[in-house]
Amino acid sequence: MTTPQTPSDDRRDAANPAADLIRQKLHQLYSDEPNAREELQESQTASHRSKHQQFMHDLSTSGRSLADIQTAWHNYYIGLPDSEKHEVWQEFYAEHAKHNRPPAPAQPQPVAPRYPESPTHRIRPNELRKVGDIKDQLLSSVNRRAATKKGGHLKSLLFGLSSGFIVVVILLFGFFNERFLAPFITPSKSVSATPIIIDPGTNSVGRDPKIIIPKINVEIPVVYTEPSIEDHAVQKALEQGVLHYATTSNPGELGNGVIFGHSSNNILNKGNYKFAFVLLKRLEAGDTFILQKDGKQYVYRVFAKKVVKPEDVAILNDGQGKQATFSLITCDPPGTSLNRLVVTGEQITPNPSANLASTAKSNLGQPKVLPSNSETLWHRFTNWLRN
């Protein structure tokens, strides 16, 4: 085995094809390092180690992983000049001659499974692999992990979007069904075109108190037994029908009586009378409504209709002590609590001249606002946050 040519040799033999062919063969030979497995064996058995053998010995006792050892040996060999690469090969052949073993050609080693290293781990021959094999395995592992993460991210995104959509639907339904959903499912909007026919002179009146509005086909119970004007008590009573307000006159008395009813309420709330007065705005002057109480029937003829603000509580005392009237009040527009629609009628049957003085409860004080639809889910939620 000869050493690589020097620059002067290159110039001297530039025109010599045979010398050029030899240089090419040497370059091809030195481009591949000796098998790392053999070098490890040399570093362990050599009595006097060269610097190359010492380098490999230090690697084998450093506790580094097999992949790191093989990569370090490859980088070390590639960085050597041709003369020292020749020394490595000479040591390689000499060591094999001692053991009467021919040098093994450098071949890619089969890929072996990797497992954790420890400082005392002894390198096994079948654990040594080529750098290219290690790169391929690493790339394959990275690609698998990337594909797994991509699928996981997609599932997380879909879960988040679906959860958000469900929450938005629930919020829209809960917060706005009074305005956008309830008005479209009110039973009163499908009433017959034929109004209820009532004979004002009939004596056949039941004991259950009720209000009858022939024009809009309404016949609903009236609650006269609620003594409080607190909002929670009013809302509870409205689940059973429409409500006579405790601070106003009763049928058959002088003054102005007031009945509150829902126009359109939260469809999740209790009660069957959430839409009692939804068509109240159809009443005009001259139309009639009837109140039945204590086995008697009182007929009122509409003479006024107006929309007022919720704070206009003076409407509760209109006509107090002067004449016999009744006002029907509901929220307007239906499904909101923005305003109040007030329809007022005067008693025409029986003759109001025989009416008694008002027995309204004056000790309950005056409310700040007129009763309205019950709180929406949004209002309940914000009130809960404030408390």
Side-chain angles (χ1 to χ4, degrees):
M1 181 71 65
T2 59
T3 59
Q5 297 287 349
T6 64
S8 60
D9 293 332
D10 290 340
R11 289 193 300 270
R12 186 170 54 252
D13 297 330
N16 190 335
D20 184 68
L21 178 62
I22 292 173
R23 282 195 299 272
Q24 293 179 8
K25 294 293 185 179
L26 288 174
H27 179 74
Q28 293 175 358
L29 176 64
Y30 296 151
S31 62
D32 292 327
E33 70 270 20
N35 186 278
R37 180 185 62 184
E38 303 296 337
E39 287 295 319
L40 287 171
Q41 292 177 348
E42 290 177 13
S43 67
Q44 294 171 359
T45 59
S47 56
H48 299 285
R49 299 187 183 94
S50 67
K51 74 170 186 176
H52 312 303
Q53 293 171 340
Q54 185 63 42
F55 175 81
M56 181 57 77
H57 177 73
D58 293 340
L59 286 178
S60 66
T61 58
S62 65
R64 298 170 65 178
S65 68
L66 294 177
D68 290 341
I69 292 175
Q70 190 167 9
T71 301
W73 167 247
H74 174 77
N75 293 336
Y76 172 83
Y77 180 84
I78 292 300
L80 294 174
D82 286 349
S83 59
E84 292 193 22
K85 290 179 180 179
H86 177 68
E87 293 175 1
V88 172
W89 280 104
Q90 291 297 328
E91 293 170 0
F92 180 83
Y93 294 141
E95 188 65 25
H96 275 265
K98 292 179 181 180
H99 300 283
N100 296 320
R101 295 176 57 189
Q107 297 180 357
Q109 299 299 316
V111 177
R114 298 179 61 185
Y115 44 84
E117 283 291 316
S118 67
T120 59
H121 180 74
R122 183 175 180 84
I123 300 174
R124 302 175 184 178
N126 63 349
E127 293 174 346
L128 298 174
R129 295 169 293 166
K130 285 291 185 179
V131 174
D133 297 333
I134 297 173
K135 290 181 178 180
D136 291 341
Q137 184 178 6
L138 291 175
L139 288 175
S140 176
S141 176
V142 169
N143 291 335
R144 286 196 302 270
R145 292 182 180 179
T148 302
K149 290 182 178 179
K150 183 177 180 181
H153 293 162
L154 180 60
K155 290 180 180 178
S156 299
L157 177 62
L158 292 176
F159 177 77
L161 291 176
S162 60
S163 299
F165 177 76
I166 292 173
V167 170
V168 169
V169 169
I170 292 175
L171 291 178
L172 289 176
F173 179 81
F175 296 161
F176 306 115
N177 76 80
E178 294 94 341
R179 186 67 184 93
F180 299 104
L181 299 180
F184 294 99
I185 62 172
T186 58
S188 300
K189 288 195 174 182
S190 59
V191 297
S192 170
T194 304
I196 297 175
I197 299 176
I198 298 292
D199 181 4
T202 182
N203 293 322
S204 177
V205 178
R207 300 298 301 179
D208 296 331
K210 65 176 63 175
I211 181 172
I212 302 172
I213 309 176
K215 185 175 182 178
I216 58 176
N217 286 339
V218 166
E219 185 173 345
I220 298 175
V222 181
V223 178
Y224 288 96
T225 56
E226 178 51 60
S228 173
I229 61 173
E230 296 294 330
D231 186 67
H232 69 279
V234 169
Q235 297 300 331
K236 186 67 176 178
L238 286 171
E239 295 176 5
Q240 306 170 42
V242 293
L243 173 67
H244 171 258
Y245 209 60
T247 62
T248 65
S249 300
N250 287 284
E253 297 177 352
L254 294 175
N256 184 54
V258 172
I259 289 179
F260 285 99
H262 286 314
S263 62
S264 177
N265 204 0
N266 192 326
I267 63 176
L268 300 179
N269 288 350
K270 296 179 180 179
N272 298 322
Y273 305 100
K274 294 186 284 284
F275 314 103
F277 283 169
V278 69
L279 299 181
L280 192 64
K281 61 184 177 181
R282 291 189 182 183
L283 295 186
E284 302 293 343
D287 292 329
T288 61
F289 59 89
I290 301 165
L291 297 177
Q292 294 182 354
K293 183 177 185 293
D294 300 328
K296 295 182 181 180
Q297 181 169 274
Y298 303 89
V299 181
Y300 296 82
R301 181 170 54 221
V302 175
F303 69 88
K305 180 173 72 171
K306 59 182 177 180
V307 175
V308 301
K309 290 298 182 181
E311 297 79 15
D312 189 1
V313 296
I315 193 67
L316 299 174
N317 299 320
D318 278 5
Q320 189 73 28
K322 298 178 182 180
Q323 55 185 337
T325 61
F326 243 89
S327 295
L328 310 181
I329 303 179
T330 191
C331 290
D332 185 79
T336 73
S337 298
L338 299 177
N339 301 305
R340 304 292 185 269
L341 173 65
V342 182
V343 176
T344 304
E346 58 181 350
Q347 182 181 326
I348 59 174
T349 301
N351 192 317
S353 61
N355 282 18
L356 303 174
S358 175
T359 59
K361 298 179 179 179
S362 59
N363 61 337
L364 297 179
Q366 189 82 322
K368 294 182 179 180
V369 294
L370 298 172
S372 66
N373 291 324
S374 61
E375 287 186 327
T376 64
L377 293 181
W378 172 252
H379 289 148
R380 293 175 184 175
F381 178 71
T382 55
N383 289 338
W384 177 79
L385 290 180
R386 285 195 293 266
N387 295 333

